[in-house]
Amino acid sequence: MLQKDLLCLKDLAKEDIQALLDRGSEIRDLLDSGKKDFDTLKGKNITTLFYENSTRTMTSFSNAGKFLGATVSNLAVASSSVKKGESLIDTGETLDALKTDLIVIRHSVAGAPKFLAENVKAHVVNAGDGLHAHPSQALLDMLTMQRYFGKIEGLNVAIVGDIKHSRVARSNIYGLTTMGAKVKLFSPYTLRATGIEKMGNVEICDTLTDAIQDADVIMGLRIQLERQQQGLFPSLSEYFKYYGVKESDIKNLKKQPIIMHPGPVNRDVELSSGVIDGSNSHILDQVSNGLSIRMAILEAMLKEN
Ligand code: CP
């Protein structure tokens, strides 16, 4: 049983996470067989409220709601009354008055979804807030691993890149360690996150080789240039040379890991184009699993039995 809101994975018990992954996997099979019309959420309204850019998360939540039979409103923040100075609470109360049942929010400020949730009747799902959390991304990442390996417990997952500014890394570390995976982190020293190793079964590595040598999964992270102070690394080309994952880094590993990345990916910065487009890449599989897991989340939060 989920709570009123999904703000971070700490809102979910281990068995809730497993139930969402199992339902997400069933939905993925149904979607792959061509089914797009479910009527589980007929009569419900979902509003997406994105104060930051998005392709995958907004489109997949929007499609997820429509495929489940709900009506979906995508509030275009740039052309909304937010631009006239309307506050977050006033926007939320307006959506309550318009009878929305669930708001999917992305915001640059950590804690904004919690603040909204405390002030509206509608359910609230966090679609990414500042450096804090991106719970549906971690769920879709875990779904991708579960579908490929059949389990998450015992997997070795290397998360590589801009750990410091990554809400994806934080949500994945929490989710993966809760589900029994072991996580290794590698980033430039200036992009490490102080204290992150205390989140669970997490090891900080000094070299890419240490991080990936026994990895089942390599997860690249986007360089979050929009959140960085200047000067955390010399240049994108040097970042790629010293920290990017290339075919040469993985071709001689004893076992071939799957390659993941939340997107959008900066080609030949975080991962080489050969790795992105190679046979081990599950980046587009992640996108498809994003639709499935978001359908499972919306169903769990809104379905009336
Ligand atoms: N991974 C992710 O959140 O992608 P978008 O920014 O395109 O939603």
Side-chain angles (χ1 to χ4, degrees):
M1 186 68 182
L2 300 192
Q3 300 174 17
K4 170 182 169 278
D5 308 300
L6 176 55
L7 303 176
C8 71
L9 287 186
K10 289 181 189 167
D11 295 337
L12 301 178
K14 184 176 178 182
E15 50 274 21
D16 294 328
I17 294 176
Q18 191 59 60
L20 285 172
L21 297 179
D22 292 344
R23 180 61 183 146
S25 195
E26 283 173 10
I27 291 173
R28 173 71 197 264
D29 288 339
L30 290 167
L31 291 171
D32 285 353
S33 75
K35 185 172 170 65
K36 286 186 195 165
D37 57 330
F38 301 69
D39 58 5
T40 331
L41 299 188
K42 203 164 174 345
K44 301 291 182 186
N45 177 258
I46 294 162
T47 301
T48 66
L49 179 61
F50 276 56
Y51 291 80
E52 279 191 337
N53 296 343
S54 170
T55 297
R56 293 151 198 79
T57 313
M58 195 175 102
T59 310
S60 57
F61 267 117
S62 180
N63 282 2
K66 290 174 191 165
F67 289 2
L68 288 167
T71 52
V72 179
S73 315
N74 296 311
L75 198 151
V77 169
S79 57
S80 74
S81 292
V82 168
K83 292 293 166 191
K84 299 178 193 163
E86 187 165 66
S87 72
L88 183 55
I89 290 181
D90 285 342
T91 301
E93 287 178 344
T94 301
L95 296 178
D96 267 346
L98 289 168
K99 309 295 183 200
T100 200
D101 298 292
L102 185 145
I103 301 169
V104 181
I105 178 174
R106 172 172 287 187
H107 204 287
S108 59
V109 176
K114 182 170 192 296
F115 184 62
L116 178 69
E118 287 166 352
N119 288 282
V120 293
K121 291 200 267 303
H123 299 273
V124 173
V125 175
N126 179 7
D129 61 331
L131 309 189
H132 172 231
H134 194 347
S136 63
Q137 178 70 46
L139 287 166
L140 79 85
D141 292 337
M142 288 190 284
L143 176 56
T144 303
M145 294 177 211
Q146 176 172 294
R147 282 180 66 86
Y148 186 78
F149 294 104
K151 59 172 190 162
I152 295 170
E153 185 159 16
L155 292 181
N156 293 316
V157 181
I159 304 181
V160 176
D162 183 356
I163 308 286
K164 186 183 180 85
H165 300 96
S166 179
R167 56 197 178 203
V168 173
R170 285 173 181 79
S171 286
N172 262 295
I173 290 168
Y174 184 80
L176 286 166
T177 58
T178 298
M179 301 309 285
K182 185 177 175 200
V183 177
K184 291 186 178 181
L185 304 176
F186 174 65
S187 63
Y189 196 79
T190 50
L191 295 178
R192 289 184 178 185
T194 311
I196 207 159
E197 68 282 2
K198 296 186 188 125
M199 285 182 75
N201 193 359
V202 177
E203 183 185 337
I204 312 288
C205 297
D206 289 324
T207 67
L208 179 62
T209 306
D210 285 347
I212 67 174
Q213 62 189 347
D214 58 355
D216 298 295
V217 179
I218 299 176
M219 182 186 296
L221 294 176
R222 187 171 69 84
I223 294 289
Q224 309 251 320
L225 291 170
E226 73 276 25
R227 298 190 209 286
Q228 289 187 13
Q229 310 299 316
Q230 286 188 334
L232 293 177
F233 55 87
S235 69
L236 292 180
S237 61
E238 279 166 309
Y239 183 92
F240 179 56
K241 182 172 176 189
Y242 294 106
Y243 302 99
V245 179
K246 308 161 201 68
E247 296 98 304
S248 55
D249 294 312
I250 53 179
K251 75 172 182 216
N252 292 325
L253 294 175
K254 280 199 295 263
K255 61 180 172 188
Q256 283 297 291
I258 65 166
I259 305 296
M260 295 175 53
H261 190 293
V265 61
N266 294 303
R267 282 181 175 267
D268 300 316
V269 178
E270 298 116 15
L271 306 175
S272 68
S273 277
V275 168
I276 293 166
D277 300 326
S279 57
N280 296 345
S281 174
H282 280 251
I283 295 172
L284 288 175
D285 188 35
Q286 287 173 264
V287 177
S288 297
N289 286 328
L291 174 59
S292 314
I293 204 70
R294 286 167 179 135
M295 288 175 71
I297 292 168
L298 296 177
E299 196 182 75
M301 296 184 78
L302 288 177
K303 187 178 171 189
E304 289 168 13
N305 291 312

